[in-house]
Amino acid sequence: MKRIKVNLDKQSSLSHEIYIGHNILDRMGLVIAKSNLAHRYSVITDSNVSALYGEEILGVLKEVNVKADLIEFPAGEASKNMETVLAIVRELINRGIDRSSALIALGGGVTGDITGFIASIYMRSIPCIQVPTTLLAQVDSSIGGKTGIDLPEGKNLLGAFSQPQSIFIDLRFLETLPDNEFINGLSEVIKYGIIDDVDLFTLLEEKSDAIRCRDPHILQAIVERSCKIKKAFVEIDEKDVGLRRILNFGHTIGHAIEAASGYTISHGNAVSAGMIASARISEKMKHLSSEDRGRIQQLVRAVGLADHIPASISTEGIIAKTRTDKKKEGDSIHFVLLKKIGMPFINGSVEEALIRETIEELKK
Ligand SMILES: NC(=O)c1ccc[n+]([C@@H]2O[C@H](COP(=O)([O-])OP(=O)(O)OC[C@H]3O[C@@H](n4cnc5c(N)ncnc54)[C@H](O)[C@@H]3O)[C@@H](O)[C@H]2O)c1
């Protein structure tokens, strides 16, 4: 089991460890037992993950005399709302969970975001351990302390920055992940290669077949590398006011595609098309070589992600959604562009006509 330290120097009590390995639940139990973090734990999980791993995690904790129970909610983004928060909170109160207790988020990004949010507000905050079970949660959402829920007005509108106590990444969970969810998470891994690590990008190019077959050695390498990249951005910019925005590469257009499709397109496919759009815009603005743009497009295709935007999604709808993002940021839209693979920069002024032209090209 490897350890990566997330150093949040300003408040050292927020610093924590990410543990990564295959089949590490037994060791996780021992670490939790030794930590004396809480008198008892509530594992929060969704209905799918509960059926697969609920009993196992309770067994692991029982084995080391850690008192724990489990609360489940219906799987899916539709549950990431205030109703679910209140239902879980009431259950915690009924079961006598108090300030000497802690939560364990067992699941994907939805579970992690909901559980982290509850932990940040329950009895004015209790500790939370993240145990991510999707590739997206392992390389992205469990790290960085962003928690929250959706409102009818938009995604992730209510939430808090609240760092986990520790993160346990067991790669074995990925064995049961449906193909579409696995590929979804690969878009974030590719993003890390593009924005920070040309060696990771090259590894993904060379091993795309092994990755799609979920070769455990390659998975360990790419998950570990991705966690190190994400944690480095978080260490520098914990509250997402500066450098961490680089992590939005492909997401400005990606989120707009997702929203304009009424969320019928998966996050991964929207982000992959968004990354290609950003690479094309970089090329058109003479920042990026056509060779690097071609490599990005090729890798996206090789892992089975979308390299185009469905013609049925309105271009004006996508543009309108990027403008919503623009409002949030004030007058300028922070677009992450590329000088080359591994070298991103933030550009405040991309002309709408160029975005429109690029979206149209990706629909052909
Ligand atoms: N906090 C952050 O920094 C951050 C970053 C990125 C995304 N997010 C959020 O993450 C969410 C998406 O996360 P997600 O893609 O993990 O979705 P998810 O949590 O809904 O999980 C996807 C599906 O996979 C199932 N599943 C999970 N683990 C499994 C396993 N090991 N085997 C079989 N099935 C399994 C789940 O039940 C669900 O049906 C979004 O709400 C997004 O806003 C948060």
Side-chain angles (χ1 to χ4, degrees), residues 3 26 34 52 96 98 123 126 142 162 165 185-187 190 202 208 231 243 248 255 287 291 296 300 309 316 338 347:
R3 286 165 68 152
D26 288 346
K34 263 178 70 181
L52 288 164
D98 61 17
M123 297 191 175
I126 59 173
S142 66
S162 177
Q165 203 68 33
L186 284 177
S187 69
I190 292 176
T202 307
S208 60
K231 79 113 195 177
L243 192 71
N248 274 336
H255 282 150
H287 297 300
E291 189 199 342
I296 292 171
V300 160
I309 300 169
E316 290 315 312
L338 298 171
N347 187 310

PDB file of all heavy atoms in Angstrom, residues 3 26 34 52 96 98 123 126 142 162 165 185-187 190 202 208 231 243 248 255 287 291 296 300 309 316 338 347:
ATOM      1  N   ARG A   3       1.673   5.397   0.050  1.00  0.00           N
ATOM      2  CA  ARG A   3       1.122   6.554   0.758  1.00  0.00           C
ATOM      3  C   ARG A   3       1.553   7.829   0.059  1.00  0.00           C
ATOM      4  O   ARG A   3       2.714   7.984  -0.306  1.00  0.00           O
ATOM      5  CB  ARG A   3       1.650   6.593   2.193  1.00  0.00           C
ATOM      6  CG  ARG A   3       1.031   5.552   3.077  1.00  0.00           C
ATOM      7  CD  ARG A   3       1.819   5.385   4.345  1.00  0.00           C
ATOM      8  NE  ARG A   3       1.716   6.568   5.193  1.00  0.00           N
ATOM      9  CZ  ARG A   3       1.829   6.510   6.514  1.00  0.00           C
ATOM     10  NH1 ARG A   3       2.050   5.360   7.119  1.00  0.00           N
ATOM     11  NH2 ARG A   3       1.744   7.597   7.235  1.00  0.00           N
ATOM     12  N   ASP A  26      -8.383  -4.575   4.284  1.00  0.00           N
ATOM     13  CA  ASP A  26      -7.954  -5.073   5.607  1.00  0.00           C
ATOM     14  C   ASP A  26      -7.010  -4.072   6.260  1.00  0.00           C
ATOM     15  O   ASP A  26      -7.137  -3.758   7.443  1.00  0.00           O
ATOM     16  CB  ASP A  26      -7.214  -6.414   5.468  1.00  0.00           C
ATOM     17  CG  ASP A  26      -8.192  -7.520   5.111  1.00  0.00           C
ATOM     18  OD1 ASP A  26      -9.398  -7.274   5.244  1.00  0.00           O
ATOM     19  OD2 ASP A  26      -7.723  -8.594   4.682  1.00  0.00           O
ATOM     20  N   LYS A  34      -6.372   2.020  14.486  1.00  0.00           N
ATOM     21  CA  LYS A  34      -5.246   2.617  15.217  1.00  0.00           C
ATOM     22  C   LYS A  34      -5.386   4.133  15.378  1.00  0.00           C
ATOM     23  O   LYS A  34      -4.768   4.739  16.251  1.00  0.00           O
ATOM     24  CB  LYS A  34      -3.934   2.329  14.468  1.00  0.00           C
ATOM     25  CG  LYS A  34      -3.204   1.110  15.033  1.00  0.00           C
ATOM     26  CD  LYS A  34      -1.953   0.799  14.262  1.00  0.00           C
ATOM     27  CE  LYS A  34      -0.838   1.812  14.462  1.00  0.00           C
ATOM     28  NZ  LYS A  34       0.350   1.474  13.673  1.00  0.00           N
ATOM     29  N   LEU A  52     -22.716  -4.417  -3.460  1.00  0.00           N
ATOM     30  CA  LEU A  52     -21.436  -5.066  -3.815  1.00  0.00           C
ATOM     31  C   LEU A  52     -20.471  -5.148  -2.634  1.00  0.00           C
ATOM     32  O   LEU A  52     -19.774  -6.151  -2.453  1.00  0.00           O
ATOM     33  CB  LEU A  52     -20.760  -4.269  -4.943  1.00  0.00           C
ATOM     34  CG  LEU A  52     -21.378  -4.366  -6.337  1.00  0.00           C
ATOM     35  CD1 LEU A  52     -20.852  -3.242  -7.230  1.00  0.00           C
ATOM     36  CD2 LEU A  52     -21.056  -5.724  -6.961  1.00  0.00           C
ATOM     37  N   GLY A  96     -27.988   7.868  16.840  1.00  0.00           N
ATOM     38  CA  GLY A  96     -27.153   8.371  17.934  1.00  0.00           C
ATOM     39  C   GLY A  96     -25.745   8.761  17.514  1.00  0.00           C
ATOM     40  O   GLY A  96     -24.816   8.779  18.335  1.00  0.00           O
ATOM     41  N   ASP A  98     -22.911  11.127  17.038  1.00  0.00           N
ATOM     42  CA  ASP A  98     -22.656  12.428  17.662  1.00  0.00           C
ATOM     43  C   ASP A  98     -21.273  12.956  17.261  1.00  0.00           C
ATOM     44  O   ASP A  98     -20.645  12.439  16.345  1.00  0.00           O
ATOM     45  CB  ASP A  98     -22.807  12.337  19.182  1.00  0.00           C
ATOM     46  CG  ASP A  98     -21.803  11.359  19.775  1.00  0.00           C
ATOM     47  OD1 ASP A  98     -20.814  11.010  19.076  1.00  0.00           O
ATOM     48  OD2 ASP A  98     -22.007  10.931  20.925  1.00  0.00           O
ATOM     49  N   MET A 123     -23.712  18.544  13.137  1.00  0.00           N
ATOM     50  CA  MET A 123     -23.284  18.971  14.482  1.00  0.00           C
ATOM     51  C   MET A 123     -22.041  19.869  14.385  1.00  0.00           C
ATOM     52  O   MET A 123     -21.072  19.697  15.111  1.00  0.00           O
ATOM     53  CB  MET A 123     -23.034  17.758  15.379  1.00  0.00           C
ATOM     54  CG  MET A 123     -24.309  16.966  15.595  1.00  0.00           C
ATOM     55  SD  MET A 123     -24.170  15.729  16.875  1.00  0.00           S
ATOM     56  CE  MET A 123     -25.867  15.137  16.922  1.00  0.00           C
ATOM     57  N   ILE A 126     -18.093  16.927  11.567  1.00  0.00           N
ATOM     58  CA  ILE A 126     -17.430  15.733  12.111  1.00  0.00           C
ATOM     59  C   ILE A 126     -16.474  15.217  11.022  1.00  0.00           C
ATOM     60  O   ILE A 126     -16.611  15.594   9.856  1.00  0.00           O
ATOM     61  CB  ILE A 126     -18.448  14.634  12.532  1.00  0.00           C
ATOM     62  CG1 ILE A 126     -19.322  14.184  11.347  1.00  0.00           C
ATOM     63  CG2 ILE A 126     -19.312  15.108  13.697  1.00  0.00           C
ATOM     64  CD1 ILE A 126     -20.226  12.988  11.678  1.00  0.00           C
ATOM     65  N   SER A 142     -12.470  12.574  -4.876  1.00  0.00           N
ATOM     66  CA  SER A 142     -12.215  12.316  -3.442  1.00  0.00           C
ATOM     67  C   SER A 142     -11.084  13.188  -2.906  1.00  0.00           C
ATOM     68  O   SER A 142     -10.930  13.344  -1.700  1.00  0.00           O
ATOM     69  CB  SER A 142     -11.880  10.830  -3.217  1.00  0.00           C
ATOM     70  OG  SER A 142     -10.653  10.508  -3.843  1.00  0.00           O
ATOM     71  N   SER A 162     -14.152  21.107   2.504  1.00  0.00           N
ATOM     72  CA  SER A 162     -13.993  20.357   3.752  1.00  0.00           C
ATOM     73  C   SER A 162     -13.086  19.161   3.459  1.00  0.00           C
ATOM     74  O   SER A 162     -13.472  18.243   2.737  1.00  0.00           O
ATOM     75  CB  SER A 162     -15.378  19.906   4.230  1.00  0.00           C
ATOM     76  OG  SER A 162     -15.266  19.139   5.377  1.00  0.00           O
ATOM     77  N   GLN A 165     -10.367  13.262   6.246  1.00  0.00           N
ATOM     78  CA  GLN A 165      -9.375  12.874   7.251  1.00  0.00           C
ATOM     79  C   GLN A 165      -8.300  11.995   6.623  1.00  0.00           C
ATOM     80  O   GLN A 165      -7.135  12.064   6.960  1.00  0.00           O
ATOM     81  CB  GLN A 165     -10.093  12.093   8.355  1.00  0.00           C
ATOM     82  CG  GLN A 165      -9.386  12.089   9.674  1.00  0.00           C
ATOM     83  CD  GLN A 165      -9.381  13.463  10.307  1.00  0.00           C
ATOM     84  OE1 GLN A 165     -10.331  14.210  10.136  1.00  0.00           O
ATOM     85  NE2 GLN A 165      -8.305  13.803  11.008  1.00  0.00           N
ATOM     86  N   GLY A 185     -14.099   7.981 -16.212  1.00  0.00           N
ATOM     87  CA  GLY A 185     -12.986   8.406 -15.360  1.00  0.00           C
ATOM     88  C   GLY A 185     -11.701   8.619 -16.148  1.00  0.00           C
ATOM     89  O   GLY A 185     -10.856   9.441 -15.768  1.00  0.00           O
ATOM     90  N   LEU A 186     -11.562   7.882 -17.275  1.00  0.00           N
ATOM     91  CA  LEU A 186     -10.328   8.036 -18.067  1.00  0.00           C
ATOM     92  C   LEU A 186     -10.183   9.445 -18.631  1.00  0.00           C
ATOM     93  O   LEU A 186      -9.075   9.911 -18.879  1.00  0.00           O
ATOM     94  CB  LEU A 186     -10.307   7.017 -19.208  1.00  0.00           C
ATOM     95  CG  LEU A 186      -9.973   5.568 -18.822  1.00  0.00           C
ATOM     96  CD1 LEU A 186     -10.059   4.669 -20.054  1.00  0.00           C
ATOM     97  CD2 LEU A 186      -8.592   5.468 -18.183  1.00  0.00           C
ATOM     98  N   SER A 187     -11.310  10.151 -18.833  1.00  0.00           N
ATOM     99  CA  SER A 187     -11.192  11.506 -19.391  1.00  0.00           C
ATOM    100  C   SER A 187     -10.406  12.403 -18.431  1.00  0.00           C
ATOM    101  O   SER A 187      -9.632  13.258 -18.864  1.00  0.00           O
ATOM    102  CB  SER A 187     -12.567  12.105 -19.712  1.00  0.00           C
ATOM    103  OG  SER A 187     -13.269  12.375 -18.524  1.00  0.00           O
ATOM    104  N   ILE A 190      -6.657  11.447 -18.729  1.00  0.00           N
ATOM    105  CA  ILE A 190      -6.081  12.050 -19.947  1.00  0.00           C
ATOM    106  C   ILE A 190      -5.837  13.546 -19.713  1.00  0.00           C
ATOM    107  O   ILE A 190      -4.805  14.096 -20.085  1.00  0.00           O
ATOM    108  CB  ILE A 190      -7.016  11.837 -21.159  1.00  0.00           C
ATOM    109  CG1 ILE A 190      -7.055  10.351 -21.527  1.00  0.00           C
ATOM    110  CG2 ILE A 190      -6.574  12.678 -22.356  1.00  0.00           C
ATOM    111  CD1 ILE A 190      -8.026  10.009 -22.651  1.00  0.00           C
ATOM    112  N   THR A 202       2.110   9.969 -22.662  1.00  0.00           N
ATOM    113  CA  THR A 202       2.750   8.980 -23.543  1.00  0.00           C
ATOM    114  C   THR A 202       2.426   7.558 -23.066  1.00  0.00           C
ATOM    115  O   THR A 202       2.154   6.662 -23.876  1.00  0.00           O
ATOM    116  CB  THR A 202       4.280   9.204 -23.563  1.00  0.00           C
ATOM    117  OG1 THR A 202       4.510  10.571 -23.888  1.00  0.00           O
ATOM    118  CG2 THR A 202       4.964   8.327 -24.591  1.00  0.00           C
ATOM    119  N   SER A 208      -2.905   2.079 -24.202  1.00  0.00           N
ATOM    120  CA  SER A 208      -4.362   2.283 -24.212  1.00  0.00           C
ATOM    121  C   SER A 208      -5.132   0.958 -24.225  1.00  0.00           C
ATOM    122  O   SER A 208      -6.191   0.847 -23.602  1.00  0.00           O
ATOM    123  CB  SER A 208      -4.780   3.191 -25.362  1.00  0.00           C
ATOM    124  OG  SER A 208      -4.415   2.614 -26.581  1.00  0.00           O
ATOM    125  N   LYS A 231      -3.234  16.331  -6.199  1.00  0.00           N
ATOM    126  CA  LYS A 231      -2.894  16.823  -4.850  1.00  0.00           C
ATOM    127  C   LYS A 231      -1.906  17.996  -4.939  1.00  0.00           C
ATOM    128  O   LYS A 231      -1.961  18.919  -4.139  1.00  0.00           O
ATOM    129  CB  LYS A 231      -2.395  15.688  -3.954  1.00  0.00           C
ATOM    130  CG  LYS A 231      -0.969  15.241  -4.149  1.00  0.00           C
ATOM    131  CD  LYS A 231      -0.133  15.578  -2.942  1.00  0.00           C
ATOM    132  CE  LYS A 231       1.344  15.458  -3.289  1.00  0.00           C
ATOM    133  NZ  LYS A 231       2.217  15.829  -2.207  1.00  0.00           N
ATOM    134  N   LEU A 243      -4.364  28.753  -9.444  1.00  0.00           N
ATOM    135  CA  LEU A 243      -3.782  27.697 -10.281  1.00  0.00           C
ATOM    136  C   LEU A 243      -4.699  26.489 -10.489  1.00  0.00           C
ATOM    137  O   LEU A 243      -4.675  25.841 -11.538  1.00  0.00           O
ATOM    138  CB  LEU A 243      -2.456  27.229  -9.656  1.00  0.00           C
ATOM    139  CG  LEU A 243      -1.604  26.353 -10.554  1.00  0.00           C
ATOM    140  CD1 LEU A 243      -1.006  27.176 -11.690  1.00  0.00           C
ATOM    141  CD2 LEU A 243      -0.499  25.666  -9.762  1.00  0.00           C
ATOM    142  N   ASN A 248      -9.563  22.808 -14.866  1.00  0.00           N
ATOM    143  CA  ASN A 248     -10.794  22.945 -15.651  1.00  0.00           C
ATOM    144  C   ASN A 248     -10.568  22.750 -17.141  1.00  0.00           C
ATOM    145  O   ASN A 248     -11.496  22.952 -17.927  1.00  0.00           O
ATOM    146  CB  ASN A 248     -11.406  24.342 -15.446  1.00  0.00           C
ATOM    147  CG  ASN A 248     -12.281  24.358 -14.223  1.00  0.00           C
ATOM    148  OD1 ASN A 248     -12.772  23.313 -13.799  1.00  0.00           O
ATOM    149  ND2 ASN A 248     -12.453  25.527 -13.642  1.00  0.00           N
ATOM    150  N   HIS A 255     -18.717  21.172 -19.708  1.00  0.00           N
ATOM    151  CA  HIS A 255     -19.914  21.383 -18.880  1.00  0.00           C
ATOM    152  C   HIS A 255     -21.048  21.939 -19.727  1.00  0.00           C
ATOM    153  O   HIS A 255     -22.214  21.590 -19.520  1.00  0.00           O
ATOM    154  CB  HIS A 255     -19.614  22.366 -17.735  1.00  0.00           C
ATOM    155  CG  HIS A 255     -18.863  21.746 -16.608  1.00  0.00           C
ATOM    156  ND1 HIS A 255     -17.986  22.444 -15.808  1.00  0.00           N
ATOM    157  CD2 HIS A 255     -18.860  20.474 -16.133  1.00  0.00           C
ATOM    158  CE1 HIS A 255     -17.473  21.628 -14.906  1.00  0.00           C
ATOM    159  NE2 HIS A 255     -17.979  20.429 -15.079  1.00  0.00           N
ATOM    160  N   HIS A 287      -1.146  28.695 -30.810  1.00  0.00           N
ATOM    161  CA  HIS A 287      -0.383  28.357 -29.611  1.00  0.00           C
ATOM    162  C   HIS A 287       0.108  26.909 -29.674  1.00  0.00           C
ATOM    163  O   HIS A 287       1.179  26.578 -29.216  1.00  0.00           O
ATOM    164  CB  HIS A 287      -1.240  28.508 -28.348  1.00  0.00           C
ATOM    165  CG  HIS A 287      -1.709  29.906 -28.098  1.00  0.00           C
ATOM    166  ND1 HIS A 287      -0.835  30.948 -27.906  1.00  0.00           N
ATOM    167  CD2 HIS A 287      -2.959  30.427 -28.007  1.00  0.00           C
ATOM    168  CE1 HIS A 287      -1.534  32.056 -27.708  1.00  0.00           C
ATOM    169  NE2 HIS A 287      -2.808  31.764 -27.772  1.00  0.00           N
ATOM    170  N   GLU A 291       0.312  18.704 -34.559  1.00  0.00           N
ATOM    171  CA  GLU A 291       0.728  17.352 -34.145  1.00  0.00           C
ATOM    172  C   GLU A 291       0.216  17.041 -32.740  1.00  0.00           C
ATOM    173  O   GLU A 291      -0.364  15.979 -32.484  1.00  0.00           O
ATOM    174  CB  GLU A 291       2.258  17.273 -34.181  1.00  0.00           C
ATOM    175  CG  GLU A 291       2.775  15.874 -33.995  1.00  0.00           C
ATOM    176  CD  GLU A 291       4.230  15.833 -33.563  1.00  0.00           C
ATOM    177  OE1 GLU A 291       4.940  16.834 -33.726  1.00  0.00           O
ATOM    178  OE2 GLU A 291       4.616  14.784 -33.015  1.00  0.00           O
ATOM    179  N   ILE A 296      -3.868  14.368 -29.045  1.00  0.00           N
ATOM    180  CA  ILE A 296      -4.954  14.420 -28.045  1.00  0.00           C
ATOM    181  C   ILE A 296      -6.212  13.752 -28.619  1.00  0.00           C
ATOM    182  O   ILE A 296      -6.832  12.905 -27.981  1.00  0.00           O
ATOM    183  CB  ILE A 296      -5.231  15.894 -27.641  1.00  0.00           C
ATOM    184  CG1 ILE A 296      -4.036  16.443 -26.859  1.00  0.00           C
ATOM    185  CG2 ILE A 296      -6.531  16.011 -26.840  1.00  0.00           C
ATOM    186  CD1 ILE A 296      -4.069  17.939 -26.586  1.00  0.00           C
ATOM    187  N   VAL A 300      -7.985  10.233 -27.163  1.00  0.00           N
ATOM    188  CA  VAL A 300      -9.396  10.232 -26.754  1.00  0.00           C
ATOM    189  C   VAL A 300     -10.138   9.103 -27.466  1.00  0.00           C
ATOM    190  O   VAL A 300     -10.885   8.330 -26.855  1.00  0.00           O
ATOM    191  CB  VAL A 300     -10.018  11.625 -27.062  1.00  0.00           C
ATOM    192  CG1 VAL A 300     -11.531  11.550 -27.131  1.00  0.00           C
ATOM    193  CG2 VAL A 300      -9.588  12.644 -26.002  1.00  0.00           C
ATOM    194  N   ILE A 309     -19.113  16.170 -31.104  1.00  0.00           N
ATOM    195  CA  ILE A 309     -20.320  16.608 -30.387  1.00  0.00           C
ATOM    196  C   ILE A 309     -21.523  16.166 -31.230  1.00  0.00           C
ATOM    197  O   ILE A 309     -21.550  16.432 -32.436  1.00  0.00           O
ATOM    198  CB  ILE A 309     -20.326  18.156 -30.238  1.00  0.00           C
ATOM    199  CG1 ILE A 309     -19.082  18.611 -29.459  1.00  0.00           C
ATOM    200  CG2 ILE A 309     -21.596  18.631 -29.538  1.00  0.00           C
ATOM    201  CD1 ILE A 309     -18.851  20.123 -29.485  1.00  0.00           C
ATOM    202  N   GLU A 316     -25.856  27.038 -30.379  1.00  0.00           N
ATOM    203  CA  GLU A 316     -26.183  28.232 -29.585  1.00  0.00           C
ATOM    204  C   GLU A 316     -26.473  27.856 -28.134  1.00  0.00           C
ATOM    205  O   GLU A 316     -26.168  28.619 -27.223  1.00  0.00           O
ATOM    206  CB  GLU A 316     -27.374  28.986 -30.203  1.00  0.00           C
ATOM    207  CG  GLU A 316     -27.041  29.668 -31.527  1.00  0.00           C
ATOM    208  CD  GLU A 316     -25.703  30.432 -31.518  1.00  0.00           C
ATOM    209  OE1 GLU A 316     -25.458  31.205 -30.578  1.00  0.00           O
ATOM    210  OE2 GLU A 316     -24.899  30.224 -32.450  1.00  0.00           O
ATOM    211  N   LEU A 338      -3.609  25.517 -24.492  1.00  0.00           N
ATOM    212  CA  LEU A 338      -2.339  24.785 -24.429  1.00  0.00           C
ATOM    213  C   LEU A 338      -1.278  25.417 -25.324  1.00  0.00           C
ATOM    214  O   LEU A 338      -1.586  25.858 -26.442  1.00  0.00           O
ATOM    215  CB  LEU A 338      -2.548  23.352 -24.934  1.00  0.00           C
ATOM    216  CG  LEU A 338      -3.510  22.465 -24.150  1.00  0.00           C
ATOM    217  CD1 LEU A 338      -3.746  21.176 -24.919  1.00  0.00           C
ATOM    218  CD2 LEU A 338      -2.930  22.155 -22.767  1.00  0.00           C
ATOM    219  N   ASN A 347      -6.312  31.700 -20.561  1.00  0.00           N
ATOM    220  CA  ASN A 347      -6.495  32.806 -21.494  1.00  0.00           C
ATOM    221  C   ASN A 347      -7.835  33.466 -21.209  1.00  0.00           C
ATOM    222  O   ASN A 347      -8.860  32.803 -21.176  1.00  0.00           O
ATOM    223  CB  ASN A 347      -6.463  32.253 -22.931  1.00  0.00           C
ATOM    224  CG  ASN A 347      -6.465  33.344 -23.952  1.00  0.00           C
ATOM    225  OD1 ASN A 347      -7.278  34.249 -23.897  1.00  0.00           O
ATOM    226  ND2 ASN A 347      -5.559  33.275 -24.897  1.00  0.00           N
TER     227      ASN A 347
END
